[in-house]
Amino acid sequence: MNIKQAKEHIKNSIKLYLKKDVYGEYCIPVVRQRPVFLLGSPGIGKTAIMEQIAQELGIALVSYSMTHHTRQSALGLPFITHKKYKGMEFDISEYTMSEIIASIYEVMEHSGIEEGILFLDEINCVSETLAPSMLQFLQYKTFGKHKVPEGWVIITAGNPPEYNKSVREFDIVTMDRMKLMEVEADYPTWKSYALKQGIHSAVTTYLDMKKSDFYKVETHVGGKSYVTARGWEDLSVAMLMCEEEGLLVDETLVGQYLHNEKVVKEFTAYYDLYNKYKKDYKVEEILEGTNSAQVVERARIAKFDERLALLGMLLDKIESEMKENLEFSDYLTDLMKLLKAVRAVYEKKSQHEEVDFIALVQDQIHNRTHLMESMAAAGTLSSEEKRKNRLLITFLETQIKQLRMETNTDIEVAFSIIKAAFNAQVTQMKEENAKIQTRLHNLFAFSEVAFMDGNEMVVLVTELTVNTYSARFIGLYGSLDYQKHNEDLMLHERQDDLLQQIQELEM
């Protein structure tokens, strides 16, 4: 299965394990909650999906790599204690709490979240001293004398032996206590993730043409060469930062993330061409609708890889704008709910006592800050949530400063000041929204002339459909151009299906 399918299976397993009966007891007893064992090649996103699952389910996440753990750190250190049995005194050995179990309790205490995922990576690389204790842990969720708290689901991961010399193959007795999921690298699945994460379009357009370069592990005379999904993502981050700082992206940099000489040379050469196309075609002018006839003609006669690179740059630009606009819209929706809640609390309290309105707003800042700290402690604070909450806090802090400068502290005046600031941001969001819709129309208008009915139009409509943000943007605000071309493509697909059925009948 691919990593997306694995994610859904794991998510469903967690939901089942955390389901409770009418008495508040977990329906599946702990001893029957088999840990999931995610077995797959390195760098395909096993850790990333754990973070996504925790965020989506609203539970905590504690991650540990088992490679560095010894028997003492995992099970606890022995100490001597004094006890009495039937009137006789004895010195016996007991164990301190495991570092892993202690981490779970710390996360529960700091985040306030009682349920979560204990993710143990490289589980099949445990030391020889710890291996005998793993059987007990996998079945009874116990390290030494200390149990994993109820409500915590164990997910494990590891690499096949061919990728890691430290791997110890589990015996049948151990495997029989886990749910095995074997995962393979899959570019189409990763691309959906890449579009959402804002991976550099030079990476995605290159891989669209050379899908076989997405994941490679090869053995040569001089050793192994490899390219992984993690490598592409980390390279993308480095490239974006280098572009921001005006630094050179060359073979030396690319080779620090992609460890295959042929892929490094080919991608670096493609990236140089990509930048040339970016300069020659003037992407901003195309989206503004002010491009020249020469640009259209060049795109029309260009080779497919050049046209695909151009389309990738155009999509990358407009989809990032859609993402920012949607995130700002989500922030305004949350802000409106928050302001309504503040007013409701004020009106209720003011009936019985004098209320400090600014103090109420400060309470909301405190609540949001605490929420971010709790989510961060639980390992479930996404970058989107962080940005949204920081915008909320900044808005409220700005309004408090404004209110303190006012001589008239009347509540209606205070609300009118805040409402005016809120409305100004709504207007800003709507103006940006309208601008993006115009730019999307210009993109289609250019594509119709430059690409006509070629495969590039299929790519354009498909990318807008599969990208989380563009699909949502078009779903909310519509696009006549998208609708027209989507219907045309669906019609062609239906015609192709009919022709294929006719050919099969004739055969």
Side-chain angles (χ1 to χ4, degrees), residues 286 311 314 442-453 456-457 460:
I286 293 173
L311 189 56
L314 291 164
N442 293 336
L443 171 55
F444 272 103
F446 172 83
S447 300
E448 286 170 359
V449 179
F451 306 140
M452 293 182 280
D453 294 326
E456 294 82 7
M457 190 60 77
L460 172 59

Side-chain angles (χ1 to χ4, degrees), residues 115-351:
E115 295 178 330
I117 299 168
L118 172 59
F119 178 57
L120 303 179
D121 199 5
E122 300 182 276
I123 190 76
N124 51 353
C125 292
V126 295
S127 66
E128 289 186 18
T129 59
L130 184 55
S133 305
M134 292 309 298
L135 193 63
Q136 179 192 22
F137 167 71
L138 292 170
Q139 181 158 8
Y140 298 105
K141 321 299 184 290
T142 302
F143 272 130
K145 290 185 65 176
H146 303 281
K147 286 188 175 183
V148 173
E150 276 196 321
W152 281 75
V153 177
I154 298 168
I155 310 293
T156 68
N159 301 320
E162 60 266 31
Y163 295 107
N164 193 330
K165 292 180 180 178
S166 302
V167 165
R168 298 164 52 88
E169 289 198 50
F170 288 140
D171 54 33
I172 294 175
V173 176
T174 304
M175 290 299 297
D176 192 40
R177 282 158 173 77
M178 297 190 289
K179 292 173 65 172
L180 175 63
M181 293 185 189
E182 295 189 55
V183 189
E184 295 178 339
D186 178 66
Y187 175 64
T189 300
W190 183 81
K191 187 178 178 183
S192 298
Y193 164 80
L195 292 171
K196 188 175 180 181
Q197 294 298 117
I199 298 296
H200 200 296
S201 59
V203 170
T204 52
T205 52
Y206 172 82
L207 291 175
D208 282 337
M209 294 181 290
K210 299 201 171 189
K211 294 181 177 61
S212 60
D213 286 352
F214 168 60
Y215 200 97
K216 281 178 178 285
V217 177
E218 298 172 344
T219 303
H220 307 284
V221 177
K224 287 191 175 183
S225 67
Y226 56 94
V227 178
T228 69
R230 182 191 295 122
W232 284 114
E233 184 169 3
D234 291 347
L235 173 60
S236 168
V237 173
M239 288 167 62
L240 290 167
M241 292 300 295
C242 284
E243 289 175 354
E244 194 175 304
E245 296 296 320
L247 301 176
L248 182 66
V249 175
D250 56 11
E251 283 189 20
T252 302
L253 177 73
V254 175
Q256 293 167 15
Y257 299 93
L258 311 179
H259 302 277
N260 180 296
E261 188 176 344
K262 181 173 178 290
V263 176
V264 169
K265 287 184 179 297
E266 290 184 358
F267 176 73
T268 306
Y270 173 79
Y271 178 70
D272 291 339
L273 273 176
Y274 175 93
N275 283 324
K276 183 178 183 300
Y277 300 152
K278 194 172 184 179
K279 182 180 178 181
D280 292 348
Y281 280 105
K282 299 175 183 176
V283 167
E284 189 60 31
E285 289 184 7
I286 293 173
L287 293 176
E288 285 295 317
T290 59
N291 53 281
S292 65
Q294 289 86 349
V295 167
V296 173
E297 180 61 17
R298 173 171 176 173
R300 191 183 67 78
I301 63 174
K303 292 181 180 179
F304 180 68
D305 59 347
E306 183 173 334
R307 289 150 69 107
L308 195 62
L310 170 59
L311 189 56
M313 287 184 278
L314 291 164
L315 280 165
D316 185 55
K317 181 69 174 172
I318 200 160
E319 285 173 343
S320 65
E321 291 171 0
M322 289 175 173
K323 177 182 177 181
E324 288 179 15
N325 186 259
L326 287 169
E327 286 186 352
F328 198 68
S329 177
D330 291 340
Y331 144 71
L332 289 172
T333 301
D334 264 27
L335 179 57
M336 182 174 64
K337 292 176 183 176
L338 185 148
L339 295 176
K340 284 183 176 179
V342 170
R343 176 144 200 165
V345 171
Y346 177 85
E347 290 175 350
K348 184 178 180 180
K349 284 189 172 184
S350 61
Q351 293 175 359

